[in-house]
Amino acid sequence: DSGVTQTPKHLITATGQRVTLRCSPRSGDLSVYWYQQSLDQGLQFLIHYYNGEERAKGNILERFSAQQFPDLHSELNLSSLELGDSALYFCASSARLVLNPGQNTDTQYFGPGTRLTVL
Amino acid sequence: AQSVTQLGSHVSVSEGALVLLRCNYSSSVPPYLFWYVQYPNQGLQLLLKYTTGATLVKGINGFEAEFKKSETSFHLTKPSAHMSDAAEYFCAVVEGSTLGRLYFGRGTQLTVWP
């Protein structure tokens, strides 16, 4: 058990709908990362939050957004869902205070994932 | 930009045989390298990581990996496979100029035959 929790475990919805995925990091971790795992694209980085602020963006669609709350949990919002959005969504957390670019080598601990199916 | 190549999407070995999973990376800056394992219907678990220092890194479950800068490789090995090692293995690199984002290879599915 990594200490990172994600809810729900499974989500089935229809095209055009909107869903929210939730992630609670390990106790004390300030960074939350979101990744998407699909057969087509493999594991892709979506977005990174540190202590409530967005720090880096990856291949995240404009239909997707995220935020990190004062209690450090994070939510990933997916809207106008398409069939191709079906995937496993992971969040990961890490602890290290980010001082300078290139100095964040702390281990990322992954949650169990949310499997999203869009029908 | 960072990239990771895992040679062989599927590797099969017999129980007790050597496990060798290959990973090559490209990086314009000194890399930080990771191996993660994913068991069915589970998240990713860290096996081992290289940041600085000793190039031979030991991880959990008897796995180890060696960072070879000249070959831009970080291959994962285990002397004797066990049935419980059957899983998918991902090599990943952190880009030095970006804040901690992991770039993953496409993964290698390891099958262990009795």
Side-chain angles (χ1 to χ4, degrees):
Chain A
D1 185 353
S2 67
V4 179
T5 60
Q6 289 186 248
T7 56
K9 193 163 186 166
H10 299 278
L11 201 46
I12 301 174
T13 188
T15 54
Q17 295 298 304
R18 182 178 190 275
V19 297
T20 297
L21 282 54
R22 182 188 169 103
C23 169
S24 294
R26 295 186 314 157
S27 177
D29 280 2
L30 300 175
S31 275
V32 170
Y33 307 79
W34 285 96
Y35 294 87
Q36 179 194 60
Q37 184 179 31
S38 66
L39 287 175
D40 291 347
Q41 301 292 327
L43 271 159
Q44 298 278 318
F45 167 75
L46 294 177
I47 197 163
H48 169 208
Y49 275 83
Y50 173 76
N51 202 22
E53 292 187 8
E54 181 186 305
R55 298 307 295 260
K57 256 185 177 176
N59 301 322
I60 188 166
L61 299 171
E62 284 192 15
R63 299 184 286 109
F64 296 1
S65 65
Q67 54 185 326
Q68 187 179 27
F69 294 87
D71 67 352
L72 300 176
H73 91 271
S74 178
E75 293 181 355
L76 180 67
N77 300 295
L78 315 177
S79 61
S80 302
L81 285 167
E82 302 175 359
L83 296 177
D85 298 327
S86 296
L88 255 176
Y89 292 84
F90 288 108
C91 79
S93 75
S94 70
R96 182 75 59 88
L97 174 66
V98 176
L99 296 175
N100 294 303
Q103 290 190 354
N104 186 350
T105 61
D106 199 16
T107 298
Q108 292 181 30
Y109 294 90
F110 282 76
T114 293
R115 183 172 293 281
L116 173 66
T117 302
V118 182
L119 299 175
Chain B
Q2 306 282 304
S3 70
V4 176
T5 302
Q6 291 184 240
L7 294 175
S9 58
H10 291 84
V11 170
S12 295
V13 300
S14 300
E15 194 171 21
L18 171 72
V19 175
L20 170 60
L21 305 182
R22 299 178 187 273
C23 173
N24 289 89
Y25 67 91
S26 69
S27 172
S28 57
V29 297
Y32 305 111
L33 297 157
F34 303 79
W35 275 100
Y36 283 85
V37 60
Q38 184 178 26
Y39 298 101
N41 300 313
Q42 293 188 27
L44 284 79
Q45 180 183 5
L46 180 72
L47 275 179
L48 49 79
K49 67 178 180 181
Y50 169 78
T51 53
T52 58
T55 56
L56 182 62
V57 180
K58 295 188 186 298
I60 61 171
N61 302 337
F63 284 93
E64 61 182 37
E66 187 170 10
F67 170 59
K68 291 188 177 181
K69 185 178 177 181
S70 61
E71 299 177 8
T72 60
S73 69
F74 191 56
H75 302 332
L76 182 71
T77 60
K78 181 174 180 178
S80 177
H82 192 270
M83 297 291 288
S84 61
D85 294 327
E88 190 150 23
Y89 292 80
F90 293 92
C91 182
V93 62
V94 166
E95 185 174 272
S97 62
T98 304
L99 303 177
R101 60 191 293 178
L102 287 165
Y103 287 85
F104 285 92
R106 293 306 301 263
T108 298
Q109 181 68 46
L110 176 66
T111 301
V112 182
W113 300 101

